[in-house]
Amino acid sequence: MIKDECFTLYNGVLIPKIGFGTWQVADGEVAYEAVLSALKHGYRHIDTAYAYGNEQSIARAIQDSHIDRKELFITTKLPASIKSYEGAFDYFNRSLKNLNTDYIDLYLIHAPWPWEEVGKDCTEGNIEVWKAFVELYKQKKVRAIGVSNFHPEDIVPLIEATKVKPMVNQIRYFIGNTQEKVTTYCQENDILVEAYSPLATGSLLNNEILLKMAEKYQVSLAQLCIRYCLEKNTLPLPKSTHEERILSNIEVDFTISKEDMEYLDSLKGIGPVRYLRS
Ligand code: A2P
């Protein structure tokens, strides 16, 4: 069953194949209940970020689930605006405290530039931050390190400066928006691609073409979208605040035929017009 399966990062760390996304899941009872429900239904991988503001609610849900910390895989992210070595340590410790844990499974640089300055060249700052990440990894405070929203030209300088490749790149990825250049580079270099917004934040869910195909497989459209990511060897991070959806989003033990995958691959740009935020 998919909920028991893992991808293996290039450093040997196992990462559950579906993660529970928590972007835009409101702090407080909403995040608490959603994560508690996800854990109850078999998710063991929770994806958050300091910037989502919900780390403390997630920690409460984890604590109340009584699941052994070692069975869980927790990802969080350094705020995109922090581009210094000291800042990375400072915010890492804040996340540790918020999440009430003594280590993080996967720590990501949230974006190559601050969200208010999308596209700005922050290569020097990213290198400083990446050096801090490598140090956190060496100190075993994190089991894996990576990036999010990075392009190959943002990744290469990090590797040149430290000789350490990110283990993960988390990008916006769904049917019709597969970011070929980034995905190919990462997969060729054994960097796992994680797919955030695998349902295009909900806007693929009324698509007639996809509805028809979902009907054929007798699955929901959301399940089709999530399975598509897995067929592409990317790790989907679906999110929902409704228990029945949380449950069904992890029940994707079917396969999509080669022909249908080719057809889905051809549906370029069926999702919403591009915008960037995770
Ligand atoms: P809700 O939280 O009300 O269930 P993405 O994962 O691409 O960011 O998409 C998340 C959006 O998709 C949310 O608005 C969520 O709404 C909705 N959603 C998640 N799972 C399902 C599902 N199985 N069926 C319908 N809508 C879903």
Side-chain angles (χ1 to χ4, degrees), residues 10-82:
Y10 79 75
N11 65 342
V13 166
L14 298 177
I15 178 169
K17 276 196 172 174
I18 296 184
F20 185 68
T22 64
W23 174 41
Q24 293 182 326
V25 176
D27 191 32
E29 284 317 287
V30 177
Y32 173 80
E33 291 295 342
V35 172
L36 202 55
S37 173
L39 294 170
K40 176 174 132 195
H41 290 299
Y43 291 78
R44 289 295 177 267
H45 173 177
I46 309 293
D47 182 275
T48 184
Y50 183 88
Y52 299 169
N54 56 19
E55 289 176 320
Q56 290 182 14
S57 306
I58 291 171
R60 262 197 316 127
I62 289 172
Q63 191 174 356
D64 291 353
S65 75
H66 301 296
I67 297 170
D68 190 348
R69 172 71 183 86
K70 287 200 187 69
E71 283 182 38
L72 298 174
F73 193 100
I74 303 173
T75 299
T76 193
K77 311 182 190 86
L78 176 73
S81 57
I82 306 302

Side-chain angles (χ1 to χ4, degrees), residues 21 23-25 30 173-174 195-205 220-223 226 237-249 275:
W23 174 41
Q24 293 182 326
V25 176
V30 177
Y173 186 102
F174 48 81
Y196 76 76
S197 302
L199 315 175
T201 55
S203 49
L204 283 181
L205 294 169
S220 71
L221 202 156
Q223 287 170 317
I226 293 163
L237 300 165
K239 64 178 165 288
S240 174
T241 48
H242 293 88
E243 184 161 10
E244 70 285 1
R245 294 177 178 170
I246 291 171
L247 171 60
S248 71
N249 287 351
Y275 70 101

Side-chain angles (χ1 to χ4, degrees), residues 172-185:
R172 186 166 177 264
Y173 186 102
F174 48 81
I175 298 170
N177 177 62
T178 50
Q179 303 206 45
E180 298 301 326
K181 192 178 132 210
V182 183
T183 304
T184 304
Y185 169 83

